[in-house]
Amino acid sequence: MYDVVIVGAGPTGLWLAGELRLGGASVVVLETRPERDENSKALTIHPRTLEVLDCRGVVEPFLAEGLRIPNGHFGGLPDRMDFSVLDTPYPFTLALPQARTEELLQHRAVELGAVIRRGCRVIGMAPSGVELAGGEVVAGRYVVGCDGTRSTVREAAGIDFPGTDATTWGWLGDVVLDSPPGRGFANVAGPRGGLMVVPLPGGVHRIVGGDPGGGRRGELTFDELRTTVRAIAGTDYGMRDPMWLSRFGNATRQAAVYRSGAVLLAGDAAHMHFPTGGVGMNVGIQDAHNLGWKLAAVVTGRADDALLDTYHAERHPVGADLLRHTRAQTALMTAYSPEGQALRAVVSGLIASAPDMSRELAERLSGLDVAYATGRRVPEQRLPDGGTLFARLRGGGHVETEAGLVRPDGHLA
């Protein structure tokens, strides 16, 4: 029997596996996909997540490969928010395809001793663990569902997932551009729709956006993408050789509880939303970071089981706020009417003219605004012995500083 069975080998599940092993727990990760998906839903790593990676000493490979972008956007508005003013050693977002992020996180988890089993489809819960297609039972004292918005674990545990269904749909295409925009980036918006162009490694660009025909569903074709982009931007940027085409909706839901006895949820299994701002993967990894040290402490006998209740208490409000601001951004991104365009112009002007507002939105997007009731977030600092807080946190556990006891997720206890 394992201490913990994790269902889902995405970024959330893989980071959680590494955290559990760092804390001395035995762990197996079960993944339906026989191989990692080379298509990357997520692309952006935010400052708070970079701090999380740093506190475990694994940030350097990400920094070496990712593209640093010194600003962000709210609802696709043209006035990009300056991240350089943020109180963090990483005042930028990092563009790195999710496929590579998963590869790096899996390497860490395996190196720490986690067992990764691919091609294992979980069909339900067992009295102590989960049941796989074919009848095998994988036993564990605790089960964590990191298995996405259609979570089998969440459904089998009977955890409600209230929210709203999709009313609009966006689209994306990873393509080669013969005539890319200047510096590789573009942000175009108007009554015909909006889109953003972002460079990816390997000479590929991602074009992501929406248009007034956003009620369309079904498979996105390359001809449809090219026609829609041309209508919005006046050019198709010479796009060719599509690598991946996808459509996504704005269904928005959150698990009623993140813990039900020996079953816990993290990442997309706990919250789903329109992927504006690239926050989803980041919040999932931060869920895992909050849960990992607590669950490891419980299964190894260093803490009482009641510690796990603080996971819901601390992370459920973060998920609720995530849903609020992604809904707000969706409203701005899909405001195609004359009234909607006027609203976008007013909000854009406010952001441009109010540094405090711009900074607050940037802190929300980056995850740096999170503060739990148990203590404020402690920014990176150089300690009296010449080391740094992040470096000291790499071994797990707590760190004693002049400010007080700092938890592994960078908050005062």
Side-chain angles (χ1 to χ4, degrees), residues 351-383:
I351 293 174
S353 62
D356 288 346
M357 180 179 181
S358 177
R359 181 181 183 123
E360 181 174 342
L361 290 174
E363 287 176 344
R364 281 177 172 268
L365 286 170
S366 64
L368 297 177
D369 70 320
V370 175
Y372 306 132
T374 50
R376 64 178 175 83
R377 173 183 170 271
V378 180
E380 166 63 332
Q381 55 188 278
R382 190 156 294 279
L383 302 177

Side-chain angles (χ1 to χ4, degrees), residues 12-351:
T12 300
L14 292 170
W15 186 257
L16 178 60
E19 288 296 285
L20 289 168
R21 285 301 302 140
L22 193 65
S26 62
V27 58
V28 61
V29 182
L30 306 174
E31 170 58 48
T32 301
R33 299 171 296 171
E35 303 290 341
R36 278 194 311 273
D37 193 345
E38 292 305 314
N39 295 322
S40 296
K41 180 172 70 171
L43 180 63
T44 305
I45 303 177
H46 285 290
R48 183 68 183 112
T49 305
L50 292 171
E51 290 184 2
V52 165
L53 297 172
D54 189 358
C55 87
R56 296 307 191 216
V58 296
V59 73
E60 289 305 326
F62 294 86
L63 296 176
E65 297 185 30
L67 175 65
R68 303 183 189 197
I69 303 174
N71 46 42
H73 71 87
F74 186 83
L77 296 175
D79 295 285
R80 300 180 68 83
M81 291 169 292
D82 181 11
F83 277 17
S84 68
V85 300
L86 297 178
D87 186 11
T88 174
Y90 305 107
F92 48 82
T93 60
L94 198 70
L96 186 70
Q98 179 178 331
R100 181 55 177 155
T101 295
E102 287 187 9
E103 186 176 13
L104 291 168
L105 296 184
Q106 177 171 313
H107 175 77
R108 172 186 185 253
V110 171
E111 192 174 53
L112 289 170
V115 177
I116 313 292
R117 293 183 56 185
R118 292 187 172 271
C120 296
R121 183 167 65 89
V122 173
I123 61 172
M125 303 296 294
S128 58
V130 299
E131 181 181 355
L132 304 183
E136 179 187 355
V137 172
V138 181
R141 294 168 58 189
Y142 290 87
V143 175
V144 185
C146 301
D147 50 342
T149 58
R150 297 182 177 88
S151 172
T152 299
V153 172
R154 185 188 64 237
E155 184 174 343
I159 298 175
D160 289 339
F161 199 43
T164 54
D165 294 331
T167 57
T168 190
W169 297 78
W171 38 259
L172 70 81
D174 291 346
V175 296
V176 175
L177 301 182
D178 287 333
S179 302
R183 295 182 297 172
F185 294 91
N187 185 352
V188 181
R192 293 188 173 186
L195 63 83
M196 284 177 279
V197 181
V198 181
L200 303 178
V204 177
H205 284 75
R206 171 163 293 182
I207 302 182
V208 58
D211 63 275
R216 293 190 298 270
R217 305 188 186 190
E219 185 176 345
L220 176 69
T221 68
F222 181 57
D223 284 343
E224 180 185 352
L225 175 68
R226 184 163 48 194
T227 299
T228 303
V229 169
R230 211 180 271 145
I232 296 171
T235 175
D236 63 12
Y237 302 104
M239 71 171 68
R240 59 180 171 83
D241 298 337
M243 312 291 182
W244 183 42
L245 303 174
S246 181
R247 210 187 298 272
F248 49 88
N250 69 326
T252 303
R253 299 182 178 276
Q254 184 180 23
V257 294
Y258 282 16
R259 182 195 183 191
S260 177
V263 178
L264 300 108
L265 304 175
D268 290 348
H271 37 74
M272 69 180 297
H273 52 88
F274 203 60
T276 180
V279 292
M281 179 184 74
N282 294 272
V283 174
I285 291 174
Q286 292 159 34
D287 286 346
H289 201 60
N290 183 285
L291 176 60
W293 69 275
K294 297 175 179 178
L295 188 50
V298 169
V299 300
T300 57
R302 303 192 308 274
D304 187 86
D305 180 83
L307 176 64
L308 296 179
D309 292 333
T310 67
Y311 171 60
H312 171 91
E314 292 176 352
R315 294 305 296 177
H316 193 275
V318 175
D321 189 61
L322 167 69
L323 267 56
R324 279 191 293 272
H325 73 71
T326 52
R327 276 176 163 146
Q329 291 187 74
T330 303
L332 287 170
M333 293 180 78
T334 58
Y336 306 121
S337 68
E339 292 78 10
Q341 292 293 298
L343 174 64
R344 285 176 57 87
V346 169
V347 175
S348 182
L350 288 173
I351 293 174

